């Protein structure tokens, strides 16, 4: 019975173990199949990627080959062009031998001058330092120039105003002075005419009358007194005329000096000043 029970247990255990083995084998096969499917999918994807990659490489290689063929054609053209340029350059080189020799001589001369490079460099540094100082002075002068321009604008406005005032004053004074000079000259001419007339009348009277020498002397003395009085009057009038003319000319000189000091040319007066002709008499 014990053997039968153990045999039965062994049988049951074998069946359970067999079932477990079958189950595990089934799971292993299932995993194996899944793994095989996954590997096949991966291999298929990798194959497609490799296929696409090599297709792209092939396409790119074909395009590159086409491009290289075009470049080869272009290079051949360039080579022909370069060959032609080479011939031109060789011909030009033959023509440039003499200028090259001259250039070499100039290079030798320049190499001699290069010895003085340090001195020139130091001089250049000194010049740059002076240039900085000069630039600073230039900025200062520009600032002063702006200030002077502002002052010039103000002075120019004052000059224009002064010019207008002087123009108006000179016109008025010139009119008054010219009129007064005219009156004095006319009065002087009238007095001279009267004097000449009196002298003629006196000469006629003396010639027509048989007066004694003493009477003639007395009349001459009286006539001299009258002439002296008239001459004094004439001299006084001439002095007044000279004084007025001098004042007129002094005023013109002062006005011209003011115009020149204000920077106004004399041609811009708009009229010609009346210069006096009496001072030379």
């Amino acid at each position: 019975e014990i053997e039968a029970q153990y045999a039965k247990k062994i049988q049951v255990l074998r069946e359970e173990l067999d079932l477990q083995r079958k189950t595990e084998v089934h799971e292993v096969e299932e995993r194996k199949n899944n793994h095989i499917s996954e590997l096949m999918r991966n291999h298929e994807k990798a194959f497609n990627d490799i296929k696409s990659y090599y297709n792209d490489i092939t396409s790119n290689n074909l395009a590159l080959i086409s491009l290289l063929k075009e470049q080869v054609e272009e290079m051949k053209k360039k080579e022909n062009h370069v060959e032609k340029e080479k011939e031109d350059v060789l011909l030009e080189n033959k023509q440039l031998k003499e200028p090259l020799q001259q250039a070499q001589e100039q290079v030798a001369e320049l190499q001699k001058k290069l010895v003085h490079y340090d001195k020139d460099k130091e001089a250049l540094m000194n010049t740059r330092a002076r240039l900085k100082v000069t630039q600073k002075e230039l900025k200062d002068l520009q600032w002063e120039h702006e200030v002077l321009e502002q002052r010039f604008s103000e002075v120019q406005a004052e000059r224009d105003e002064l010019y207008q005032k002087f123009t108006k004053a000179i016109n008025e004074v010139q009119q008054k002075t010219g009129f007064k000079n005219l009156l004095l000259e006319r009065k002087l001419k009238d007095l001279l005419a009267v004097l000449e007339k009196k002298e003629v009348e006196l000469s006629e009277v003396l010639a027509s009358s048989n007066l004694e020498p003493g009477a003639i002397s007395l009349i001459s003395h009286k006539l001299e007194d009258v002439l002296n009085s008239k001459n004094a009057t004439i001299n006084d009038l001439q002095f007044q005329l000279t004084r007025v003319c001098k004042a007129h000319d002094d005023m013109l000189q002062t006005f011209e000096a003011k115009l020149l000091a204000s920077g106004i040319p004399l041609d811009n007066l708009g009229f010609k000043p009346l210069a006096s002709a009496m001072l030379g008499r």
Side-chain angles (χ1 to χ4, degrees):
E1 290 177 358
I2 291 171
E3 288 180 353
Q5 290 178 356
Y6 277 104
K8 188 176 179 179
K9 288 181 179 181
I10 289 171
Q11 184 65 31
V12 171
L13 183 59
R14 283 180 178 176
E15 291 177 356
E16 290 178 355
L17 292 174
D18 186 50
L19 180 61
Q20 184 178 359
R21 181 183 59 81
K22 289 181 180 180
T23 302
E24 290 177 355
V25 168
H26 180 70
E27 291 177 355
V28 170
E29 288 179 355
E30 188 70 24
R31 288 196 299 272
K32 181 190 70 174
N33 292 330
N34 291 332
H35 184 63
I36 291 171
S37 299
E38 183 69 22
L39 288 175
M40 289 180 68
R41 286 195 298 271
N42 292 334
H43 289 170
E44 186 69 23
K45 183 176 181 301
F47 176 75
N48 292 329
D49 291 341
I50 291 172
K51 185 178 179 181
S52 176
Y53 172 73
Y54 281 106
N55 287 333
D56 292 339
I57 290 177
T58 303
S59 178
N60 292 333
N61 288 336
L62 291 174
L64 181 61
I65 290 170
S66 177
L67 180 62
L68 290 175
K69 286 182 179 180
E70 294 177 358
Q71 290 180 355
V72 168
E73 294 293 330
E74 187 68 23
M75 291 297 292
K76 286 182 180 179
K77 293 179 181 179
K78 288 183 178 180
E79 184 179 0
N80 294 330
H81 182 68
V82 169
E83 189 67 26
K84 185 177 179 181
E85 288 183 350
K86 179 183 176 182
E87 294 177 357
D88 296 337
V89 168
L90 290 175
L91 180 61
E92 187 176 359
N93 286 337
K94 291 180 181 179
Q95 297 175 353
L96 291 177
K97 282 184 178 180
E98 184 176 354
L100 178 61
Q101 186 177 0
Q102 295 177 357
Q104 289 176 348
E105 293 176 356
Q106 291 179 358
V107 168
E109 185 67 24
L110 291 173
Q111 286 178 348
K112 293 179 181 179
K113 293 181 179 179
L114 187 61
V115 178
H116 304 287
Y117 171 74
D118 293 333
K119 295 182 179 178
D120 294 338
K121 186 176 180 181
E122 185 177 359
L124 178 62
M125 293 176 65
N126 295 330
T127 304
R128 287 179 177 175
R130 289 196 300 270
L131 178 61
K132 290 182 180 179
V133 175
T134 305
Q135 287 177 348
K136 185 177 183 302
E137 293 177 353
L138 177 62
K139 290 181 180 179
D140 296 337
L141 289 175
Q142 288 176 348
W143 180 80
E144 292 179 0
H145 176 69
E146 293 178 358
V147 174
L148 290 175
E149 280 186 346
Q150 294 177 358
R151 290 180 59 189
F152 174 75
S153 300
E154 296 175 358
V155 172
Q156 193 172 17
E158 294 177 358
R159 181 202 66 182
D160 295 338
E161 184 180 358
L162 182 63
Y163 171 71
Q164 294 176 358
K165 290 181 179 179
F166 268 107
T167 303
K168 184 177 179 182
I170 197 66
N171 288 328
E172 294 177 357
V173 172
Q174 193 170 17
Q175 291 176 0
K176 293 179 181 179
T177 306
F179 182 70
K180 191 171 182 179
N181 290 341
L182 183 61
L183 290 177
L184 291 173
E185 287 179 359
R186 287 183 180 178
K187 190 173 181 180
L188 183 59
K189 288 179 181 179
D190 294 338
L191 290 174
L192 291 174
V194 171
L195 179 60
E196 291 176 358
K197 184 177 180 182
K198 293 295 182 182
E199 287 179 351
V200 172
E201 291 177 355
L202 179 60
S203 298
E204 291 177 353
V205 169
L206 292 175
S208 62
S209 63
N210 294 320
L211 296 176
E212 295 179 357
I216 293 174
S217 177
L218 180 61
I219 292 172
S220 297
H221 286 301
K222 290 183 178 180
L223 183 59
E224 287 179 0
D225 293 337
V226 173
L227 291 175
N228 289 331
S229 176
K230 295 298 183 181
N231 287 329
T233 304
I234 291 171
N235 290 330
D236 184 53
L237 290 174
Q238 287 180 346
F239 176 73
Q240 292 181 10
L241 180 60
T242 303
R243 185 177 62 186
V244 172
C245 292
K246 186 177 185 304
H248 174 265
D249 292 341
D250 290 341
M251 183 190 64
L252 283 179
Q253 292 177 1
T254 303
F255 179 64
E256 291 176 356
K258 289 288 186 182
L259 290 180
L260 293 176
S262 299
I264 302 174
L266 298 179
D267 297 336
N268 294 339
L269 284 177
F271 63 90
K272 185 177 180 181
L274 180 61
S276 174
M278 295 300 296
L279 292 177
R281 296 185 182 180

